[in-house]
Amino acid sequence: MLDKVDVAIIGAGTAGLAALREVQRRSDDVVLINKPPYGTTCARVGCMPSKALIASANAFHARTMLDTFGIAGAEQLRADIPAVMTRVRELRDYFVQGVLKSIKDLGDRNIEGQARLDGPNRVVVDGHEIEARQIILAPGSSPIVPKPWQKFSDHILTTDSLFEARDLPARMGVIGLGAIGVEMAQALSRLGIEVHAFDGSDHMAGISDDKVAETLRQSLSQEFAIHLGVEVDLAEADEGVKITWGGESVVVDKVLVAVGRRPKVQDLGLKSLGVKLDDKGMPEVDPNTMRIGDTPVLFAGDANGIRPILHEGADEGHIAGLNATSDEPVPMDRRTPLTVTFCTPQVASVGKRAGDLDLEDCLVGEFNFSAQGRARIMQENYGLLRIYAARDEGRLLGAEMAVPAAEHTAHLLALAVKQGLTVYDLLGMPFYHPTLEEGLRTALRKIARQLPPCGISDLAGCAPLNAEALE
């Protein structure tokens, strides 16, 4: 094992691999230290296996609407859960193998073991010391299971264990309705499982806009039982585990705990850096350089708690790797905030959310997809889009939505926010007919009515025809 290197990277997740790629552009004197398993949270237990399960669930759920398209015989279909889970694992393993290829040529510079800091320039790996000019921390995170619930381990699942299940029980509870909790609750329900879902918040999937949150609640409540604003307890039951809340209870076979993930920093030795730590034991990190104070240590990825999303983790690894190999700080602007939850309707936020703004000082345009032409044709006519713009000039600030194909509308709006476009700038762009994006145009037009009119020669002033088939 090497005793001295230029850069040591702790963690082989998305951020760590992005940092490795950036460092290797300038130096081969780097080590990657990781305590197995390898494969990144996204590929192994997160983004990819969850989307594989959602795809199977949505395919099976489509049978419930086939009769509206004039297609008969859907009642003959059934979900083979073991086959579904086998497909999920096969796809998961495929994506993990793709990740592993990126480190196969590291040789003895890929070190398996538990790393711990021993000062700002020293890493200890299972008793062996490595001195490094720069250190990049990307240790990742692990799912949280509250201590009182750990005694029910035989009945508890997390996303780290869900996709290993060979079969799924008839009744499941889902505790925690952030992005992953909402996605999995709906997917399990669509596969024919009785689902009871809970969250202490009044909103799901990270939504801060009250109207969008209520639209999502109404939509998902048609598919499975949702209990918001409640605290739950678990207790033993003869036929599984009992979930109790507010004087009510239900017995399920297993509980998926999705209350969040904890940074893997408990044994990382952050105290040895000599910097101030907050009440959670976390240091302050510059989000534009990823550096911890004036130390030679950088901190990237979901463990730092800044933006625990894959594309942000990759960016942070890139920023950290660049700064670890540069003589001067290289601060980089961060991307427009963008999140997507892959339930139906899809949930997305772009730029500033309602919770970041005083909506009384903004112009708000909204559109309900219940009567949108393309959405009705596809039997996806549900959901609400809300757009926020600056009152003085109509510059786009952000949006929240729970709508069909939100992932596409959100990317379009992210580009607009990044470019500083106004409502009229977007209305001057083509909107093809019939598309779901025409709903975005309607929301923009509602804001435009609150602004001074555009010039007579500007096509942004083209008004609606007020006919559903033509909008």
Side-chain angles (χ1 to χ4, degrees):
M1 188 180 293
L2 298 173
D3 295 318
K4 188 173 182 178
V5 297
D6 188 45
V7 180
I9 301 172
I10 299 175
T14 299
L17 293 179
L20 175 66
R21 177 195 61 202
E22 194 59 42
V23 170
Q24 286 181 317
R25 290 176 177 175
R26 297 167 180 81
S27 172
D28 291 327
D29 191 13
V30 57
V31 293
L32 180 68
I33 306 165
N34 187 69
K35 182 179 180 180
Y38 287 75
T40 79
T41 295
C42 173
R44 189 171 49 82
V45 296
C47 314
M48 305 313 284
S50 66
K51 302 312 169 286
L53 185 64
I54 290 168
S56 292
N58 288 347
F60 185 54
H61 179 72
R63 79 196 188 286
T64 64
M65 297 182 291
L66 291 180
D67 60 331
T68 65
F69 292 98
I71 301 173
E75 64 277 2
Q76 303 300 319
L77 298 174
R78 65 179 183 86
D80 183 342
I81 302 296
V84 168
M85 300 308 292
T86 295
R87 177 180 183 271
V88 168
R89 285 189 294 275
E90 288 175 348
L91 285 168
R92 183 270 313 275
D93 292 346
Y94 169 80
F95 292 122
V96 167
Q97 285 302 312
V99 171
L100 296 180
K101 289 179 181 178
S102 63
I103 60 173
K104 68 177 183 179
D105 296 328
L106 281 178
D108 62 0
R109 291 186 178 272
N110 175 28
I111 301 172
E112 293 188 12
Q114 176 66 53
R116 176 178 54 83
L117 295 172
D118 186 22
N121 292 102
R122 187 178 293 108
V123 179
V124 179
V125 185
D126 295 335
H128 184 89
E129 293 186 359
I130 300 174
E131 183 180 342
R133 184 185 63 83
Q134 297 278 298
I135 299 171
I136 298 174
L137 307 177
S141 61
S142 58
I144 297 171
V145 178
K147 191 171 183 179
W149 298 353
Q150 293 175 11
K151 62 184 177 182
F152 304 106
S153 58
D154 289 346
H155 298 286
I156 294 289
L157 293 170
T158 68
T159 50
D160 277 11
S161 58
L162 172 64
F163 307 115
E164 297 301 327
R166 265 44 187 178
D167 201 352
L168 296 173
R171 306 166 301 173
M172 288 190 64
V174 177
I175 302 177
L177 291 173
I180 190 66
V182 167
E183 290 177 354
M184 293 299 93
Q186 185 179 51
L188 294 170
S189 176
R190 290 189 163 194
L191 287 169
I193 295 169
E194 177 187 321
V195 173
H196 299 267
F198 306 84
D199 198 283
S201 170
D202 292 327
H203 292 180
M204 295 181 285
I207 298 172
S208 68
D209 189 299
D210 291 339
K211 287 189 174 182
V212 177
E214 177 58 20
T215 297
L216 180 66
R217 187 196 65 77
Q218 290 179 9
S219 182
L220 296 185
S221 292
Q222 298 177 37
E223 299 190 36
F224 56 93
I226 297 175
H227 308 278
L228 299 178
V230 300
E231 298 298 323
V232 302
D233 289 312
L234 303 185
E236 292 184 7
D238 291 339
E239 299 178 358
V241 59
K242 182 167 72 171
I243 305 174
T244 61
W245 71 99
E248 299 184 65
S249 66
V250 65
V251 175
V252 297
D253 301 300
K254 288 188 180 294
V255 175
L256 173 63
V257 177
V259 296
R261 297 182 67 88
R262 179 180 291 111
K264 293 180 180 178
V265 298
Q266 295 90 340
D267 301 315
L268 197 55
L270 290 173
K271 288 184 178 180
S272 71
L273 296 180
V275 299
K276 182 180 179 181
L277 304 179
D278 63 18
D279 57 358
K280 296 181 180 178
M282 299 289 286
E284 185 175 351
V285 180
D286 184 336
N288 302 111
T289 65
M290 310 318 301
R291 192 169 295 282
I292 298 175
D294 295 325
T295 73
V297 180
L298 305 104
F299 197 177
D302 58 352
N304 66 26
I306 297 176
R307 294 183 185 176
I309 303 170
L310 181 133
H311 70 272
E312 298 285 1
D315 285 350
E316 291 182 1
H318 168 77
I319 296 169
L322 187 61
N323 278 275
T325 52
S326 299
D327 294 332
E328 299 294 331
V330 185
M332 303 192 74
D333 291 338
R334 300 299 295 267
R335 299 183 196 269
T336 300
L338 170 65
T339 67
V340 180
T341 300
F342 293 85
C343 54
T344 303
Q346 284 187 350
V347 174
S349 67
V350 179
K352 293 186 180 297
R353 306 183 308 152
D356 304 321
L357 299 165
D358 181 352
L359 295 187
E360 296 296 324
D361 292 334
C362 300
L363 300 178
V364 181
E366 68 177 50
F367 181 71
N368 191 308
F369 276 75
S370 60
Q372 208 261 352
R374 179 67 184 278
R376 289 192 66 184
I377 289 170
M378 299 189 300
Q379 288 294 124
E380 296 180 13
N381 50 316
Y382 40 70
L384 183 69
L385 165 68
R386 297 256 289 171
I387 304 174
Y388 321 117
R391 184 172 291 278
D392 54 350
E393 57 184 343
R395 180 173 52 85
L396 292 165
L397 301 174
E400 289 191 72
M401 66 199 81
V403 301
E407 58 187 294
H408 305 301
T409 299
H411 278 87
L412 174 60
L413 284 170
L415 174 62
V417 171
K418 177 67 174 179
Q419 296 298 318
L421 300 184
T422 68
V423 168
Y424 282 132
D425 288 332
L426 263 189
L427 284 173
M429 303 295 180
F431 285 82
Y432 205 80
H433 176 76
T435 61
L436 293 170
E437 283 73 15
E438 289 176 295
L440 167 60
R441 181 176 61 183
T442 300
L444 293 168
R445 281 171 168 168
K446 290 182 178 179
I447 296 177
R449 295 190 194 118
Q450 306 171 67
L451 293 167
C454 59
I456 193 170
S457 62
D458 191 338
L459 285 174
C462 179
L465 294 172
N466 296 319
E468 186 176 318
L470 303 178
E471 295 299 326

